[in-house]
């Protein structure tokens, strides 16, 4: 089904570009003389056509066009587009952490090592990283799993985080953000044909990277639903229902957990994680723990527990048999350094021969970006209390996380004052995923050519300039409608966003009542 209004010519062929086709928008290839191309919609990889990625989908393309129209002087009922659709902290105005940028600058332009403006601990970190690079330059390739000293630092970070549970640097693979590592693992897991095709369990709502990667790999998506009425909690009985149904048509082999949650902002309890680990052991599933928001925990009584720590504290009955990979990134938490594309994964209990195949697979892409590796090293090995940059680093880190906590609370409180919008507490991560009560007239109008919450979000964009992502892009229970909104805009701008949503929802409800 087309996600856009069929008479909307402002986004030509956007449907085909983002995973669906609309016959009314298909170009006539014979008229323009391009009908004999080797690569066309009929000959291209059919799996790619099934890929959808709502976070940068049609509504975002329209937002970019509106920005262009505003620059060209086209009159709108607003003066700017506010992109609350994606977790891009720096694009939303968050300032970089000084120490991180100082060291990266020194690594990029080593002549600055002679500049007195830079503190000695930043210079020492830069020298150490450069000495580990080929030719003393971050312009050189590294080993495919990543620079050795950085993998060692990641292992030490994990050991400290998890209370001394050992971490092996040879089980650490640096990556181009967490996304690269996640897709790599899904490639490794996917095999079989027909009823023996790999099935991967993913939460609904989910981060669309997972459904997109599974579509590209022609793996089978096994959906399990989070419980919205219980603050998006995970119920192991729902996991059992999903895996039992899936065994009728595929071979379930992996279970993906996002904690803290994206797009739903929940933080899993220790008991929940234990239940998941037991379930994975019972059903012989490979666990994939997406933990990129591990520092983003705001709600009172909530705490981040790493899957690895819980696994080993459950004893050898589980820690010696459950296969686990966990992911982290420089893109979220207090850093928000999305553009550097730094990340890592740690594998636990992986078959040694498969591990060799994993090393081979990552070698195909040569190595992750070296600046991203350098930045990751500073995240896992930050300034220490006896170093000159420590006080500033702690002050900036704490300020970023405190502001996010304030905005999480404010977002929940304001949205819950709007009749027809229900917002669960934003316990962690960087998003809220409120439920919309839409008038039947609006639902029927939308269903002519698009999902009702897409209709809502597109109308919101056109009238207010606020860009959100419809819940249908993340998955949701039938008959429910949502949107995902990041809490990242600066506090005063976030207040504007929330007020505009309040006013728009009132108008929208009145218009379609």
């Amino acid at each position: 089904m087309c996600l856009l209004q069929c008479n909307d010519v402002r986004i030509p062929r956007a449907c085909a570009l983002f995973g669906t086709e609309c016959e009314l928008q298909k170009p006539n290839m014979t008229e323009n003389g391009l009908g004999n191309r080797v690569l066309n919609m009929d000959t291209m990889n059919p799996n790619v056509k099934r890929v959808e990625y709502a976070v940068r989908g049609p509504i975002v393309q329209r937002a970019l066009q509106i920005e262009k129209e505003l620059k060209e002087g086209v009159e709108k009922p607003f003066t700017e587009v506010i992109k609350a659709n994606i977790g891009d902290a720096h694009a939303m105005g968050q300032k970089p952490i000084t120490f991180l940028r100082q060291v990266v600058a020194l690594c990029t332009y080593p002549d600055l090592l002679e500049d007195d403006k830079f503190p000695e601990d930043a210079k020492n970190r830069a020298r150490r990283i450069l000495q580990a690079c080929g030719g003393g330059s971050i312009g050189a390739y590294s080993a495919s799993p990543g620079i050795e000293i950085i993998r060692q630092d990641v292992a030490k970070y994990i050991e400290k985080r998890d209370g001394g549970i050992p971490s092996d640097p040879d089980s650490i693979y640096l990556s181009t953000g967490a996304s690269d590592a996640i897709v790599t693992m899904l490639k490794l897991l996917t095999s079989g044909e027909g009823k023996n095709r790999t099935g991967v369990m993913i939460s609904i709502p989910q981060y669309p990277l997972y459904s997109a990667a599974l579509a590209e790999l022609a793996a089978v998506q096994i959906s399990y639903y989070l419980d919205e009425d219980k603050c998006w909690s995970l119920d192991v009985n729902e996991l059992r229902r999903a895996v039992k149904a899936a065994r009728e048509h595929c071979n379930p082999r992996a279970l993906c957990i996002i904690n803290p949650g994206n797009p739903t902002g929940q933080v899993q309890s220790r008991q929940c994680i234990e239940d998941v680990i037991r379930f994975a052991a019972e059903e012989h599933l490979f666990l994939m723990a997406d933990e990129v928001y591990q520092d983003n925990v705001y709600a009172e009584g909530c705490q981040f527990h790493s899957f690895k720590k819980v696994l080993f504290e459950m004893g050898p009955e589980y820690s010696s048999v459950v296969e686990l990979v966990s992911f982290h990134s420089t893109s979220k938490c207090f850093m928000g350094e999305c553009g550097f594309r730094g990340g890592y994964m740690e594998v636990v209990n992986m078959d040694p021969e498969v591990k060799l195949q994993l090393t081979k697979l990552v070698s195909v892409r040569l190595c992750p970006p070296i600046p991203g590796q350098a930045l990751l090293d500073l995240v896992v090995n930050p300034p220490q209390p006896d170093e000159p940059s420590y006080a500033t680093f702690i002050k900036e880190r704490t300020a970023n996380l405190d502001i996010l906590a304030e905005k999480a609370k404010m977002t929940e409180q304001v949205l819950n004052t709007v009749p027809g919008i229900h917002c669960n507490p934003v316990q962690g991560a960087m998003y809220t995923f409120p439920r919309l009560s839409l008038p039947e007239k609006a639902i029927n109008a939308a269903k002519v050519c698009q999902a009702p919450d897409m209709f809502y979000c597109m109308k919101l964009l056109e009238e207010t300039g606020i860009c959100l992502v419809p819940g249908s892009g993340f998955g949701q229970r039938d008959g429910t409608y949502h949107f995902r909104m990041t809490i990242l805009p600066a506090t005063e701008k976030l207040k504007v966003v929330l007020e505009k949503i309040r006013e728009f929802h009132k108008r929208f409800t009145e218009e379609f009542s």
Side-chain angles (χ1 to χ4, degrees), residues 231-356:
C231 204
W232 299 111
S233 64
L234 193 163
D235 185 347
V236 74
N237 290 322
E238 169 62 10
L239 295 180
R240 291 194 179 99
R241 177 208 64 78
V243 78
K244 181 179 178 181
R247 291 198 190 279
E248 298 295 320
H249 62 272
C250 70
N251 179 18
R253 299 185 65 209
L255 168 59
C256 301
I257 306 287
I258 307 174
N259 180 48
N262 175 12
T264 43
Q266 85 285 3
V267 178
Q268 302 293 355
S269 68
R270 163 87 187 217
Q271 184 60 56
C272 175
I273 294 172
E274 288 186 9
D275 291 343
V276 168
I277 290 171
R278 290 189 186 95
F279 170 79
E282 291 166 8
E283 298 293 340
H284 199 54
L285 296 171
F286 196 110
L287 262 178
M288 298 178 63
D290 183 339
E291 298 175 335
V292 302
Y293 298 98
Q294 58 190 256
D295 291 329
N296 300 112
V297 177
Y298 317 122
E300 188 175 345
C302 289
Q303 180 182 348
F304 170 75
H305 302 277
S306 81
F307 265 80
K308 183 186 176 186
K309 184 174 190 286
V310 175
L311 173 64
F312 278 82
E313 288 178 347
M314 289 173 70
E317 178 184 359
Y318 297 99
S319 63
S320 63
V321 295
V322 173
E323 296 161 87
L324 168 70
V325 59
S326 55
F327 308 95
H328 196 16
S329 167
T330 62
S331 299
K332 310 302 177 185
C333 298
F334 63 92
M335 307 83 69
E337 294 279 12
C338 303
F340 276 92
R341 311 307 300 133
Y344 73 79
M345 62 178 168
E346 180 187 28
V347 296
V348 175
N349 290 329
M350 178 173 276
D351 182 305
E353 292 186 10
V354 174
K355 198 170 173 183
L356 290 175

Side-chain angles (χ1 to χ4, degrees), residues 66-203:
I66 290 175
E67 283 186 320
K68 185 177 179 182
E69 291 169 10
L70 286 170
K71 289 178 182 177
E72 293 171 347
V74 178
E75 288 191 11
K76 303 281 182 184
F78 49 86
T79 58
E80 66 172 333
V81 172
I82 301 176
K83 298 194 187 90
N85 62 295
I86 194 166
D88 190 348
H90 291 194
M92 291 288 101
Q94 180 175 305
K95 300 298 182 185
I97 299 293
T98 302
F99 181 75
L100 305 187
R101 288 299 184 90
Q102 284 177 331
V103 178
V104 171
L106 290 163
C107 288
T108 305
Y109 189 57
D111 285 0
L112 292 174
L113 289 165
E114 306 304 320
D115 193 323
D116 293 337
K117 295 187 181 70
F118 291 84
E120 279 305 310
D121 55 345
K123 291 180 179 181
N124 290 336
R125 297 301 175 82
R127 291 188 186 103
R128 180 172 179 263
I129 292 169
L130 289 172
Q131 286 168 5
C133 295
S137 170
I138 62 169
Y141 288 131
S142 75
S144 295
I147 296 171
E148 184 175 359
I149 63 162
I150 298 178
R151 289 188 289 120
Q152 291 170 354
D153 287 345
V154 170
K156 291 175 185 175
Y157 162 83
I158 293 171
E159 284 188 11
K160 182 178 179 181
R161 181 198 67 188
D162 292 344
I165 293 168
S167 177
D168 181 0
D170 288 336
S171 293
I172 307 289
Y173 293 81
L174 307 190
S175 56
T176 308
S179 300
D180 170 48
I182 290 166
V183 173
T184 296
M185 284 305 306
L186 290 173
K187 287 179 182 177
L188 206 62
L189 282 157
T190 301
S191 66
E193 299 294 338
K195 286 190 175 182
N196 199 40
R197 189 65 173 167
T198 293
V200 179
M201 302 182 71
I202 65 172
S203 62

Side-chain angles (χ1 to χ4, degrees), residues 436-470:
L436 300 169
S437 296
L438 301 180
E440 196 66 29
K441 186 178 175 183
I443 293 171
N444 293 334
K447 283 183 175 176
V448 174
C449 204
Q450 60 190 306
D453 45 18
M454 169 63 91
F455 177 70
Y456 179 95
C457 288
M458 190 66 81
K459 198 167 176 63
L460 173 72
L461 174 63
E462 296 289 349
E463 293 186 15
T464 69
I466 296 170
C467 182
L468 308 178
V469 189

Side-chain angles (χ1 to χ4, degrees), residues 394-414:
I394 292 298
K395 179 181 177 181
E396 293 174 345
R397 182 188 190 279
T398 302
N400 283 353
L401 294 175
D402 286 350
I403 290 169
L404 285 170
E406 292 170 8
K407 291 190 290 189
K409 189 66 175 177
M410 178 176 69
T411 300
E412 174 201 348
Q413 290 175 339
V414 173

